[in-house]
Amino acid sequence: MGEPKPNLYSESFPIEGGNFNSAGIVSTGIKSILKKLGIPGDIVRKAAIVSYEAEINVVSYAKKAVVNLTVVPGAVCIEVIDEGQGIPNIDLAMQEGYSTADQKIREMGFGAGMGLCNIRNYSDDFHIESEVGKGTHLKMTIQTP
Amino acid sequence: MNVEAIVAALGLEVKCGREGLGREVTGGYTGDLLSDVMGNSKEGYIWITRQVHQNIVAVASLKEHAGIILINACEPAAETLQKAEAEKIPVMVSDLPAFELSGRIYNLLTSQS
């Protein structure tokens, strides 16, 4: 077993489901924290994309969530734990273009079935677990130099 | 080429974010699906869209776009303008449809390089 890596930074943020007016606040906050920590721009932009997509998923489908940002030497970790309907078939949800979004969500330009794909593509490591009727747990890791 | 030069060349109406007009434009992306724009556009791009709601500001800010141009004379929502002003992101309006506007901006950006 290796030595546990020291936390350079950690903070938790709440997200309220259903509130599109405040969508993006958490990811904007995460981006600004990472910039202040001196994380390189390309890593900050990847973290912004994955946290924004996760935030939109919470706003679109869950009751609420907590986002845990942890920065350790070599990595930025973003964990999103929501209370909500959960995902019945994760393989299907991970397919680009598959979406269960309603008309209201789609009219705003969300719900195109690309969010989880963006999260997977812009993370170096991505884990998803979900339980129907309880919620979804995402864990994204982006490596830093 | 900066945002202001594109505004002048195409007669765009600047709705807010004048502070950002000096920003260099490195390319452009046209799209109304926010995840598409999130995944495929790059920093310094000008974003051409017909979405007018406030969530476009978060996308443009997170992706560090040079500005947003609304097509077909679409009016931005009041909250969009407030947020964009705070983020210093220019929001502009064109009378042209997306195809034509994208073509003209593409020509402007490629003819100078």
Side-chain angles (χ1 to χ4, degrees):
Chain A
M1 278 216 318
E3 289 280 312
K5 288 182 174 176
N7 272 4
L8 301 175
Y9 190 92
S10 79
E11 187 170 347
S12 295
F13 310 84
I15 306 178
E16 184 192 341
N19 186 356
F20 280 95
N21 292 340
S22 61
I25 284 181
V26 170
S27 26
T28 304
I30 288 176
K31 186 180 176 194
S32 131
I33 288 164
L34 295 177
K35 267 185 166 177
K36 280 180 196 149
L37 290 172
I39 306 285
D42 56 333
I43 310 286
V44 174
R45 281 188 287 275
K46 282 183 183 177
I49 294 169
V50 305
S51 56
Y52 181 77
E53 294 290 7
E55 192 174 356
I56 292 301
N57 282 350
V58 171
V59 172
S60 302
Y61 305 111
K63 289 191 200 102
K64 61 177 179 175
V66 62
V67 179
N68 298 320
L69 168 70
T70 316
V71 182
V72 296
V76 173
C77 305
I78 298 163
E79 201 176 17
V80 183
I81 303 156
D82 77 36
E83 287 175 32
Q85 60 196 39
I87 302 170
N89 184 334
I90 289 177
D91 289 340
L92 204 52
M94 290 305 303
Q95 279 179 23
E96 180 146 354
Y98 178 82
S99 175
T100 58
D102 63 23
Q103 191 59 23
K104 179 190 151 226
I105 293 171
R106 288 175 198 260
E107 274 170 9
M108 296 173 82
F110 299 118
M114 299 176 72
L116 285 172
C117 297
N118 274 349
I119 292 175
R120 182 184 53 201
N121 294 342
Y122 282 95
S123 301
D124 292 309
D125 191 48
F126 170 56
H127 287 286
I128 176 167
E129 283 171 26
S130 191
E131 194 175 334
V132 173
K134 281 194 87 173
T136 301
H137 186 157
L138 305 181
K139 194 170 181 190
M140 290 80 78
T141 306
I142 300 161
Q143 286 162 8
T144 56
Chain B
M1 175 171 277
N2 65 16
V3 180
E4 194 154 30
I6 292 176
V7 167
L10 299 178
L12 305 176
E13 185 187 352
V14 180
K15 289 286 189 180
C16 74
R18 287 189 173 274
E19 270 186 78
L21 288 178
R23 179 101 190 261
E24 199 63 20
V25 178
T26 56
Y29 200 80
T30 305
D32 300 330
L33 296 176
L34 274 62
S35 288
D36 173 36
V37 177
M38 205 67 198
N40 296 311
S41 63
K42 294 195 167 71
E43 60 169 323
Y45 275 20
I46 202 102
W47 176 18
I48 297 156
T49 186
R50 67 138 296 128
Q51 296 287 359
V52 299
H53 57 80
Q54 57 183 317
N55 291 282
I56 61 175
V57 180
V59 172
S61 164
L62 288 166
K63 293 296 291 191
E64 297 170 28
H65 290 155
I68 305 169
I69 309 180
L70 307 182
I71 56 157
N72 289 337
C74 284
E75 273 299 310
E79 301 80 22
T80 304
L81 294 180
Q82 280 165 18
K83 287 196 173 173
E85 187 67 43
E87 299 277 343
K88 299 174 186 153
I89 297 170
V91 174
M92 297 147 285
V93 176
S94 168
D95 293 336
L96 297 174
F99 178 75
E100 209 170 317
L101 181 66
S102 305
R104 292 213 190 168
I105 291 176
Y106 179 83
N107 284 339
L108 284 173
L109 291 174
T110 50
S111 66
Q112 52 140 28
S113 55

